[in-house]
């Protein structure tokens, strides 16, 4: 089966993991801080906390910022559920901004309109979570300007854009956002099986996250240990077990060494798709603006299906031909939970809803062979021609 995304594991990854399995430390050993160090170096961050998954990273971000009931946090409806579920965990209020037609990220003009409107009714937005959807960076310069002007915290859900560049800078994310979150789920650009991280240049946020990822237990100072005993530990705040293992970190360190190679190959595949799908107006390829370096976690192809049932049939036909496509995403505001509890409804975010009707994530991963790329292209074109 050719899937929309897939991990690439080589013998170096396997021997790195094997080495940990034969060592004294399966978890909370030396590879936690080693992986954090490598991530800090690659992404240009002052601080990094690796955690059990990307959802935990987002949850910890909200906890570290002290979100509470009544706080308004804005995000995009075209992202994974975790991006906005983390707002609900703290009892804060989620609201959405429609996506930009061109880059499928949060529409920064609409965001500014909303900020103005909320300000005039004395409502305060405490944070904006912007996802670099599919691996294409948001308009971070504009987002930063808005964050300064309207005084809110910026979070980059960077799960898709691991390895992307913005104005030639691969460490752009922590420069613009106060908190950056990663996921290392197998379909992401590098993997640890399950895993994630929080990157930041803010020491206070980092220290909070570090404590909260392990039950809220604070590290003992030397003075306290000698006063209270070697076994002593203290909890001052309610935390969670969001720790990652050394086994996973060994894989992460090994995968990070291959990230440039992974992105290079994904860009080559995207170029072939761009060429092949731009000749027919039934398709719309993802546009990459000047100064933006797409990381292609996904290749979101838009197809004008006409009738809604056609998309369903098209997926079935490709599946029967061993090509497993996916759709990213069902707009979050249309999920039954969000409709029922927050009153969102169809028509609230028309650009996102229209994008959802047309979007198809087609296979893009490091080990995808040339023959398979052309099989995908030919089958897509064939089944659209022969409905
Ligand atoms: C944009 C986005 N945010 C958050 C997550 C959550 O990450 P995880 O699956 O590691 O919890 C994902 C993963 O699918 C994602 O795509």
């Amino acid at each position: 089966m050719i899937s929309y995304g897939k991990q690439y594991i080589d013998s170096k990854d396997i021997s790195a993991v094997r080495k940990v399995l034969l060592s004294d430390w399966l978890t909370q050993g030396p590879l936690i801080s080693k992986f954090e160090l490598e991530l800090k170096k690659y992404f240009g961050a002052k601080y990094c906390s690796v955690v059990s998954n990307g959802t935990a990273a987002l949850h910890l971000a909200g906890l570290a910022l002290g979100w509470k009931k009544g706080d308004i946090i804005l995000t995009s409806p075209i992202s994974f559920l975790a991006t906005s579920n983390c707002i609900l965990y703290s009892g804060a209020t989620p609201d959405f901004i429609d996506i930009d037609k061109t880059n499928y990220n949060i529409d920064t003009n609409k965001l500014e309109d909303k900020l103005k409107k909320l300000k005039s009714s004395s409502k305060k937005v405490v944070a904006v979570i912007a996802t670099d959807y599919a691996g294409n960076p948001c308009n971070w310069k504009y987002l930063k300007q808005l964050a300064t002007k309207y005084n809110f915290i910026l979070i980059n859900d960077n799960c898709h854009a691991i390895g992307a560049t913005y104005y030639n800078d691969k460490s752009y994310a922590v420069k613009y956002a106060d908190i950056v979150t990663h996921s290392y789920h197998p379909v992401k650009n590098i993997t640890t099986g399950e895993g994630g991280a929080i990157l930041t240049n803010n020491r206070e946020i980092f220290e909070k996250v570090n404590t909260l990822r392990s039950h809220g237990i604070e590290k003992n100072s030397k003075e306290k240990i000698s006063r209270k005993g070697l076994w002593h530990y203290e909890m001052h705040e309610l935390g969670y077990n969001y720790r990652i293992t050394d086994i996973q970190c060994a894989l992460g360190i090994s995968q990070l060494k291959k990230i440039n190679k992974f992105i290079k190959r994904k860009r080559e595949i995207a170029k072939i798709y761009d060429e092949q799908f731009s000749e027919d107006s039934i398709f719309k390829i993802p546009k990459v603006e000047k100064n933006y370096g797409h990381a292609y976690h996904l290749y979101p192809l838009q197809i004008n299906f006409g009738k809604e049932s056609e998309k369903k049939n098209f997926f079935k036909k490709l599946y029967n031909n061993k090509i497993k496509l996916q759709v990213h995403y069902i707009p979050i505001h249309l999920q039954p939970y969000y409709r029922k509890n927050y009153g969102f409804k169809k028509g609230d975010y028309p650009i996102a809803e229209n994008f959802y009707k047309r979007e198809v994530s087609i296979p893009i991963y490091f080990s995808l062979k040339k023959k398979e790329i052309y099989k995908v292209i030919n089958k897509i074109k064939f089944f659209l021609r022969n409905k």
Side-chain angles (χ1 to χ4, degrees):
M1 188 65 85
I2 307 172
S3 181
Y4 78 93
K6 191 173 153 186
Q7 74 276 12
Y8 177 78
I9 302 290
D10 64 14
S11 59
K12 286 187 178 148
D13 294 325
I14 294 166
S15 64
V17 169
R18 189 173 183 275
K19 212 168 143 192
V20 181
L21 288 172
L22 298 171
S23 78
D24 288 341
W25 297 93
L26 296 189
T27 191
Q28 307 317 294
L31 293 190
I32 308 287
S33 51
K34 173 123 197 323
F35 187 31
E36 287 172 341
L37 184 69
E38 296 303 327
L39 290 167
K40 280 190 284 187
K41 271 200 259 171
Y42 190 90
F43 295 102
K46 278 195 189 151
Y47 308 104
C48 174
S49 261
V50 284
V51 294
S52 51
N53 55 63
T55 307
L58 284 161
H59 186 193
L60 287 167
L63 288 168
L65 296 170
W67 291 347
K68 58 186 184 313
K69 196 165 186 280
D71 286 349
I72 300 170
I73 292 128
L74 305 176
T75 187
S76 155
I78 296 294
S79 188
F80 184 55
L81 285 167
T83 313
S84 89
N85 284 353
C86 73
I87 303 165
L88 315 190
Y89 295 157
S90 62
T93 306
D95 206 351
F96 299 97
I97 304 294
D98 212 342
I99 57 163
D100 183 299
K101 252 192 202 130
T102 315
N103 61 23
Y104 319 142
N105 286 325
I106 193 164
D107 184 323
T108 37
N109 291 315
K110 287 198 176 118
L111 173 62
E112 181 156 28
D113 291 345
K114 181 91 173 183
L115 290 163
K116 274 187 198 150
K117 220 164 115 190
L118 288 170
K119 197 177 172 195
S120 68
S121 53
S122 302
K123 286 187 178 153
K124 171 95 187 83
V125 170
V126 301
V128 169
I129 312 175
T131 300
D132 288 340
Y133 172 79
N136 194 22
C138 294
N139 183 347
W140 284 103
K141 286 179 192 273
Y142 194 7
L143 284 171
K144 187 72 183 169
Q145 274 174 27
L146 293 176
T148 309
K149 187 169 170 192
Y150 292 91
N151 188 29
F152 59 79
I153 294 280
L154 255 184
I155 298 177
N156 181 344
D157 183 339
N158 195 238
C159 292
H160 294 185
I162 297 167
T165 57
Y166 183 63
Y167 288 84
N168 281 325
D169 187 359
K170 65 178 167 47
S171 51
Y172 73 94
V174 276
K175 289 197 178 135
Y176 292 95
D178 303 284
I179 300 181
V180 173
T181 61
H182 279 181
S183 161
Y184 308 125
H185 181 271
V187 287
K188 299 297 188 297
N189 285 348
I190 58 166
T191 189
T192 57
E194 294 279 357
I198 290 132
L199 299 140
T200 181
N201 285 338
N202 182 314
R203 189 181 175 89
E204 212 179 307
I205 289 171
F206 163 71
E207 283 176 351
K208 274 218 142 178
V209 162
N210 247 6
T211 306
L212 295 172
R213 76 173 164 179
S214 189
H215 308 280
I217 295 171
E218 282 180 13
K219 280 215 176 89
N220 281 328
S221 64
K222 278 193 184 133
E223 180 274 324
K224 220 170 225 176
I225 288 175
S226 75
R227 199 155 42 85
K228 304 238 180 188
L230 280 173
W231 67 88
H232 189 74
Y233 55 91
E234 271 173 34
M235 172 194 147
H236 293 270
E237 276 187 274
L238 183 62
Y240 296 79
N241 181 356
Y242 282 162
R243 296 184 309 247
I244 191 171
T245 65
D246 277 50
I247 307 166
Q248 292 164 298
C249 289
L251 181 55
I253 294 163
S254 180
Q255 286 268 300
L256 194 58
K257 289 182 185 148
K258 294 185 271 280
I259 188 167
N260 293 340
K261 178 169 104 171
F262 288 166
I263 302 291
K264 184 169 172 276
R265 179 67 189 138
K266 285 186 158 200
R267 287 183 179 152
E268 285 166 4
I269 299 169
K271 194 161 175 266
I272 299 174
Y273 285 151
D274 284 350
E275 284 161 6
Q276 291 290 326
F277 291 116
S278 48
E279 61 198 25
D280 189 334
S281 64
I282 196 173
F283 301 111
K284 190 175 164 197
I285 59 165
K287 188 166 185 267
V288 188
E289 284 166 88
K290 200 171 164 242
N291 297 320
Y292 284 61
H294 204 306
Y296 292 107
H297 158 55
L298 303 171
Y299 187 95
L301 181 66
Q302 282 191 76
I303 302 175
N304 192 353
F305 285 104
K307 279 193 291 183
E308 227 170 280
S309 59
E310 268 178 33
K311 185 168 178 173
K312 233 166 56 185
N313 295 336
F314 173 76
F315 262 62
K316 246 192 229 156
K317 284 175 188 163
L318 277 136
Y319 189 83
N320 292 340
N321 279 272
K322 299 201 171 353
I323 300 171
K324 198 171 166 212
L325 307 172
Q326 198 31 291
V327 174
H328 295 91
Y329 292 93
I330 299 172
I332 300 174
H333 69 283
L334 296 181
Q335 290 293 347
Y337 188 88
Y338 280 82
R339 290 187 197 225
K340 188 172 149 233
N341 293 297
Y342 297 93
F344 294 111
K345 57 186 186 316
K346 215 170 174 178
D348 281 349
Y349 305 100
I351 312 285
E353 290 170 28
N354 192 40
F355 175 74
Y356 163 61
K357 279 187 198 147
R358 295 164 173 243
E359 199 273 341
V360 177
S361 298
I362 65 173
I364 189 159
Y365 50 87
F366 180 73
S367 59
L368 192 64
K369 296 185 187 80
K370 196 172 167 192
K371 203 172 77 191
E372 293 170 324
I373 298 169
Y374 282 95
K375 177 179 173 184
V376 170
I377 294 165
N378 293 333
K379 292 285 175 199
I380 288 177
K381 288 185 177 176
F382 177 81
F383 287 120
L384 287 169
R385 254 184 246 124
N386 302 281
K387 290 178 190 167

